[in-house]
Amino acid sequence: MALVARRGGLAIMGDDDGAEVPMRRILAAVAVVVVAGLIAFGVIAWRPSIAPITRPNPSSFPAALVARGEKLAAAGYCASCHTVRGGQPFAGGYAMPTQFGTIYSTNISPDVASGIGNWSEAAFKRAMREGVARDGSHLFPAFPYDHFNKLTDADTGALYAYVMTRPAVSSPEYKNTVPFPLSIRALQAGWKLLFFHPEPFKPDPVRSAAWNRGAYLAEGLSHCGACHTPRNALGAEKRSKAFAGAPIDNWIAPPLDKSNPAPVPWDQAELSAYLGTGVTRYHGTVAGPMAPVVHGLAQLPPADVDAIATYFATLNGTVGKNVDPAPIVAEALATDRIGTGLTYDPAARLYAAACASCHFNGADRANPLRPQLALNNALNLDDPTNLIQVILHGVGAKDGAPGVVMPAFSRFSDADVARIANWLRATRTGKAPWPDVEKKVAAIRAQGSERK
Ligand code: HEC
Ligand code: HEC
Ligand code: HEC
């Protein structure tokens, strides 16, 4: 076949029989296929608008239902994404940077004009299950509907009762910076076809009730995988790498599977302590984007937190293993003295001056309020990001152990932060050095601290 120009138009010449098809006809055929494709896609993408309602009277919702919704909203961190720093709860506007631009959370207070005051329960449930707004437009998966679709009808109903009984707050419209054509919401239907397979949570009859409860919360409402599972180029969680660890908000959400590098394995008791209180004996305290998660989970009954711990202790293989932490802890405690004596190593001297006063532990057991650095994953992960974050920004009184503060060392130069980080990695872990730490410090400093 040859593409040739003829009589002012284009025609395709067959090699042997010389038959000609005028370009007009080919273009017409292509146009028909494109239009048919668009119509088919339109049919797939189209969702009806659900009629607006008059804002329900808050007193029409039973108090017990609202109270249940409050706990569920805490464990789904609705307020943490739907509130800007210092702003009115649920009024939206929280910026979520994604690789496709910034997406702002919307106002989910019951304000009729700018919130969801005129959304029926059916519209709310469809949003949670399918990621579709009341007007029929597709929502971006920055809203974790890819997890919320697992919720039972009763739980979604309780959430509706809770948000509809909050004070109505008026807000401006927030403009996403997702560029055209990705900003076309109908295209989200294509993303959903590829990556979104909604189904209610199905209990596994072989597992215990606690495991199933934990799986329900972790996979659905508390969407642990939204941060701890790596995403593909189109922003969908890689199911084959569930909980393998991932970068999030300039932090690293460590692996929660067997590949977690903590010297003392994360068993059920340590997971329960971490998720329920934010403080552990062997793994340090909660910081960064994980802190609001723990604040939310703390509102759940302790049995629910233990259930989540059961789920992850099964996933990471610690259930039934009973590793004795004593020798691992003894080895870690022995590293405490490195760099605290007379030394001319500039890194050791910086550590002695800046850190040792709090992190040195002369006792024979780990002290939860002074994390044992050799045991901490800030030092043991393949990536120094979390250690740099903790050094530059500290751990506030509200995060980690309540009332206890790890000061911020933002006045240290990039070189000094890198010096301490590299030295701790070398003296407290047997692991390979991190590459380019100083550059990473500069990059993390430039991003600033997103947190309050
Ligand atoms: C990780 C952040 C995040 C969390 C957690 C989150 N949301 Fe959202 N939510 C968003 C974003 C972002 C949008 C807007 C998506 C868009 O514009 O396409 C949104 C949209 C919504 C909408 C649609 C509102 C509208 O005006 O179209 C509803 C309803 C909603 N969220 C309810 C909830 C509830 C209930 C919870 C807690 C169970 C919750 N969200 C937790 C980020 C979040
Ligand atoms: C908003 C993102 C986000 C969500 C949601 C989230 N995590 Fe995390 N998680 C993180 C980050 C970031 C860290 C690192 C924090 C640190 O080093 O202090 C972390 C740390 C952890 C750790 C400590 C791991 C280690 O090796 O140090 C555990 C355990 C954990 N998360 C479990 C969970 C569970 C269970 C859930 C769901 C109930 C969850 N996370 C939901 C971001 C998140
Ligand atoms: C004034 C006491 C103090 C000083 C000085 C101090 N820390 Fe901390 N550090 C803490 C406390 C307390 C925590 C536990 C966090 C919390 O509960 O607020 C902590 C936590 C940590 C963690 C673990 C965070 C986690 O997610 O588990 C690391 C790593 C750390 N510090 C490193 C350092 C380094 C490096 C220095 C020196 C540059 C330093 N600290 C100086 C008190 C201190």
Side-chain angles (χ1 to χ4, degrees):
M1 292 259 255
L3 192 62
V4 293
R6 266 183 103 234
R7 277 185 242 122
L10 282 171
I12 291 180
M13 300 264 293
D15 284 336
D16 33 37
D17 60 4
E20 294 173 17
V21 184
M23 198 58 187
R24 288 197 306 280
R25 265 205 241 158
I26 295 179
L27 288 178
V30 169
V32 166
V33 171
V34 168
V35 169
L38 283 174
I39 291 173
F41 185 76
V43 168
I44 291 168
W46 186 77
R47 294 289 182 286
S49 153
I50 295 180
I53 57 165
T54 347
R55 184 186 163 191
N57 187 334
S59 63
S60 64
F61 296 97
L65 187 66
V66 174
R68 217 162 70 71
E70 179 173 16
K71 292 200 183 312
L72 296 170
Y77 339 117
C78 319
S80 141
C81 275
H82 281 277
T83 310
V84 278
R85 194 187 296 201
Q88 295 291 319
F90 303 109
Y94 175 84
M96 297 184 65
T98 73
Q99 70 254 54
F100 310 110
T102 300
I103 296 174
Y104 291 91
S105 65
T106 45
N107 182 342
I108 56 164
S109 83
D111 183 51
V112 172
S114 59
I116 61 167
N118 62 8
W119 285 40
S120 61
E121 187 164 345
F124 180 85
K125 286 182 170 169
R126 183 177 68 171
M128 297 287 282
R129 272 187 209 133
E130 296 178 36
V132 173
R134 187 193 64 72
D135 66 4
S137 57
H138 289 275
L139 294 162
F140 293 111
F143 165 43
Y145 66 82
D146 52 339
H147 292 274
F148 293 158
N149 70 82
K150 303 260 169 294
L151 264 65
T152 61
D153 196 59
D155 280 354
T156 316
L159 282 165
Y160 179 70
Y162 176 66
V163 292
M164 293 307 267
T165 49
R166 295 311 89 207
V169 186
S170 160
S171 68
E173 196 191 328
Y174 299 100
K175 286 255 179 274
N176 297 336
T177 65
V178 180
F180 183 83
L182 294 180
S183 55
I184 302 174
R185 287 185 176 272
L187 290 182
Q188 289 302 316
W191 189 93
K192 287 177 179 174
L193 270 181
L194 291 172
F195 305 119
F196 179 53
H197 313 287
E199 52 175 345
F201 176 75
K202 272 202 224 85
D204 181 345
V206 177
R207 306 282 190 176
S208 67
W211 184 95
N212 275 303
R213 177 71 183 154
Y216 171 74
L217 291 166
E219 301 290 347
L221 185 60
S222 300
H223 55 277
C224 314
C227 294
H228 286 272
T229 297
R231 291 176 188 267
N232 66 19
L234 290 174
E237 287 171 33
K238 294 184 186 163
R239 282 159 174 255
S240 60
K241 297 227 161 125
F243 304 114
I248 176 83
D249 290 352
N250 307 323
W251 281 72
I252 301 292
L256 300 180
D257 58 11
K258 293 186 172 76
S259 68
N260 187 289
V264 177
W266 279 98
D267 65 8
Q268 152 108 41
E270 281 285 283
L271 283 165
S272 275
Y274 187 83
L275 299 171
T277 68
V279 184
T280 67
R281 182 165 292 279
Y282 305 122
H283 297 93
T285 61
V286 62
M290 187 60 197
V293 172
V294 167
H295 296 154
L297 297 181
Q299 313 263 332
L300 286 174
D304 278 349
V305 176
D306 291 346
I308 300 176
T310 300
Y311 179 61
F312 284 103
T314 311
L315 189 100
N316 72 18
T318 55
V319 158
K321 280 238 172 86
N322 292 327
V323 174
D324 177 11
I328 308 169
V329 174
E331 202 183 316
L333 287 166
T335 65
D336 253 12
R337 291 187 190 278
I338 305 172
T340 53
L342 254 189
T343 167
Y344 297 96
D345 177 345
R349 284 164 66 174
L350 257 179
Y351 175 79
C355 322
S357 60
C358 293
H359 285 284
F360 176 77
N361 181 357
D364 62 355
R365 59 173 64 193
N367 177 349
L369 297 184
R370 294 180 169 201
Q372 196 61 40
L373 297 183
L375 297 178
N376 200 279
N377 262 349
L379 272 68
N380 285 291
L381 288 169
D382 292 344
D383 183 307
T385 295
N386 291 2
L387 178 58
I388 297 168
Q389 283 282 12
V390 169
I391 298 177
L392 284 179
H393 302 125
V395 183
K398 285 198 201 137
D399 299 344
V404 173
V405 172
M406 149 90 197
F409 291 86
S410 50
R411 277 188 284 171
F412 274 22
S413 67
D414 295 350
D416 279 347
V417 174
R419 191 169 283 134
I420 294 187
N422 286 326
W423 181 79
L424 283 172
R425 174 83 166 173
T427 56
R428 264 73 177 164
T429 79
K431 300 194 163 110
W434 290 309
D436 296 328
V437 176
E438 194 173 330
K439 267 197 221 143
K440 204 141 215 174
V441 179
I444 291 173
R445 193 196 295 275
Q447 284 148 352
S449 170
E450 285 289 312
R451 313 219 61 84
K452 287 170 229 191

